């Protein structure tokens, strides 16, 4: 029994030391390479990072999610409708989505670089864009959570891009970031599948970690990109069993192509 207690203590100490070392390293790197002095899209020095984390030149070419958009999923709409065709045909488990950019051209390249090339410093700029886009609605949330990864996938990528983004949003908005969900097993990459395949691919793969943490809470769910809403919907479905309401946010909204439109479910 004594040996077991010592082993548990030793494991907790090691985890605490790893966390402390990680925080020290992150703070040191931020000191040497400040993430808040350069445009997140081209790297030019700017002096207005916290007002807008991009230079004037990039600002003229970026795909901002402005104009008429679906009031539920935030997809750009070409006509005068207030809800897109997909949201009219399918029930969502989240109340609203917030996506400041459209996933194309320079925005697409930048987000892929963030995920694949391990450019973690971009998360702060993305978070600023999201919080500004959400505006006063940020006060409606009790906590922030994120789309989880399995240990295997996180080991491959070395970090969870949605979690890092959520942590930066939490710092700006002064909201707690809570691990609410776990991913039970790995699946095929969503980008390789059509809409129906995406729904089947993520069916029952998420589960709630601790229902007491989210009971009657208003939750902001974070992902990096929203395309078909399949992933955030699967997460929101589990959270909605106990939470009061769920809204989603991402850096960018990937506009659906006609071939991904769905029939009424």
């Amino acid at each position: 029994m004594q040996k077991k207690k010592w082993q548990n203590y030793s494991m907790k100490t090691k985890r605490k030391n790893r966390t402390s070392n990680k925080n020290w390293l992150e703070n040191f790197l931020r000191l040497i390479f400040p993430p808040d002095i350069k445009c997140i899209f081209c790297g030019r020095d700017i002096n207005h990072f916290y007002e807008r984390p991009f230079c004037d030149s990039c600002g003229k070419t970026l795909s901002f999610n402005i104009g008429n958009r679906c009031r539920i999923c935030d997809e750009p709409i070409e006509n005068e409708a207030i809800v897109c065709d997909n949201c009219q045909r399918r029930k969502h488990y989240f109340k609203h989505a917030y996506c400041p950019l459209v996933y194309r051209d320079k925005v697409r390249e930048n987000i892929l670089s963030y995920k694949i090339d391990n450019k973690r410093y971009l998360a702060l700029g993305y978070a600023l864009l999201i919080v500004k886009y959400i505006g006063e609605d940020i006060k409606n949330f009790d906590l922030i959570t994120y789309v989880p990864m399995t240990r295997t996938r996180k080991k491959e990528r070395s970090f969870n891009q949605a979690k890092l983004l959520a942590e930066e949003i939490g710092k700006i908005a002064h909201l707690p970031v809570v691990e609410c969900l776990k991913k039970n097993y790995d699946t095929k990459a969503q980008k390789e599948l059509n809409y129906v395949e995406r729904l089947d691919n993520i069916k029952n793969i998420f589960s709630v970690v601790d229902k007491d943490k989210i009971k009657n809470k208003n939750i902001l769910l974070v992902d990096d990109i929203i395309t078909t809403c399949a992933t955030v919907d699967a997460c929101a479905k589990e959270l909605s069993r106990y939470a009061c309401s769920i809204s989603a946010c991402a850096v960018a909204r990937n506009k659906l192509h006609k071939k991904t439109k769905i029939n009424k479910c």
Side-chain angles (χ1 to χ4, degrees):
M1 180 66 74
Q2 200 126 20
K3 184 178 179 181
K4 189 173 181 180
K5 285 183 178 180
W6 170 252
Q7 286 175 339
N8 291 336
Y9 173 78
S10 180
M11 289 174 66
K12 288 180 181 179
T13 303
K14 285 180 181 179
R15 283 197 294 267
K16 186 176 180 181
N17 289 340
R18 281 200 298 267
T19 302
S20 178
N21 291 337
K22 180 184 175 184
N23 292 338
W24 179 88
L25 180 60
E26 287 178 353
N27 291 333
F28 176 75
L29 290 174
R30 279 176 179 257
L31 182 65
I32 303 300
F33 306 106
D36 56 355
I37 60 172
K38 293 182 180 294
C39 170
I40 60 175
F41 294 98
C42 71
R44 291 191 184 97
D45 287 349
I46 54 176
N47 57 11
H48 51 67
F49 185 90
Y50 287 94
E51 181 184 345
R52 57 184 191 281
F54 50 85
C55 67
D56 293 338
S57 179
C58 286
K60 295 175 183 177
T61 60
L62 291 175
S63 303
F64 292 103
N65 194 13
I66 56 179
N68 194 33
R69 322 183 279 289
C70 176
R71 65 165 57 178
I72 298 174
C73 74
D74 218 23
E75 181 188 6
I77 301 177
E78 295 175 0
N79 54 40
E80 298 302 314
I82 58 175
V83 176
C84 71
D85 292 343
N86 284 336
C87 288
Q88 289 181 38
R89 295 170 180 166
R90 183 174 183 81
K91 174 190 173 183
H92 290 301
Y93 291 91
F94 61 88
K95 182 180 178 182
H96 184 71
Y98 302 89
C99 307
L101 299 168
V102 178
Y103 188 68
R104 63 174 179 239
D105 305 328
K106 186 179 288 188
V107 172
R108 180 180 181 277
E109 293 173 8
N110 198 256
I111 295 176
L112 287 175
S113 186
Y114 167 60
K115 294 166 63 173
I116 299 171
D117 298 333
N118 204 16
K119 294 186 177 180
R120 305 187 191 195
Y121 61 88
L122 295 174
L124 174 58
Y126 291 156
L128 287 167
L129 289 172
I130 290 172
V131 172
K132 188 172 183 179
Y133 188 79
I134 294 174
E136 290 297 311
D137 287 355
I138 199 74
K139 297 177 183 178
N140 298 331
F141 302 112
D142 299 308
L143 61 89
I144 298 170
T145 193
Y146 50 87
V147 175
M149 279 182 170
T150 61
R151 289 185 179 180
T152 303
R153 189 59 58 85
K154 185 177 178 181
K155 191 174 181 180
E156 290 173 357
R157 185 165 287 173
S158 80
F159 76 111
N160 180 342
Q161 71 274 5
K163 180 182 180 182
L164 179 59
L165 184 56
E167 289 171 345
E168 293 293 355
I169 294 172
K171 291 174 187 175
I172 297 167
H174 304 292
L175 286 170
V177 178
V178 180
E179 182 183 16
C180 298
L181 296 163
K182 66 177 180 179
K183 191 173 183 180
N184 300 318
Y185 53 88
D186 281 318
T187 56
K188 293 180 181 178
Q190 290 286 80
K191 64 181 180 181
E192 300 172 0
L193 308 173
N194 63 36
Y195 190 89
V196 175
E197 289 171 337
R198 289 183 186 210
L199 290 178
D200 290 337
N201 191 46
I202 59 169
K203 193 175 290 183
N204 301 321
I205 67 167
F206 299 111
S207 56
V208 172
V209 174
D210 186 346
K211 64 182 181 181
D212 292 331
K213 290 182 179 179
I214 63 174
K215 192 173 289 185
N216 300 322
K217 300 293 185 182
N218 297 308
I219 299 174
L220 180 63
L221 172 66
V222 179
D223 203 359
D224 55 344
I225 307 160
I226 293 177
T227 302
T228 61
C229 300
T231 301
V232 291
D233 237 354
C235 290
K237 181 179 180 180
E238 295 304 314
L239 294 171
S240 66
R241 298 179 191 276
Y242 312 101
C244 180
S245 72
I246 301 96
S247 291
C249 71
V251 182
R253 185 69 168 87
N254 193 4
K255 187 167 172 52
L256 292 175
H257 300 295
K258 287 184 179 180
K259 65 180 181 180
T260 62
K261 301 290 182 180
I262 58 170
N263 295 324
K264 188 173 182 178
C265 297

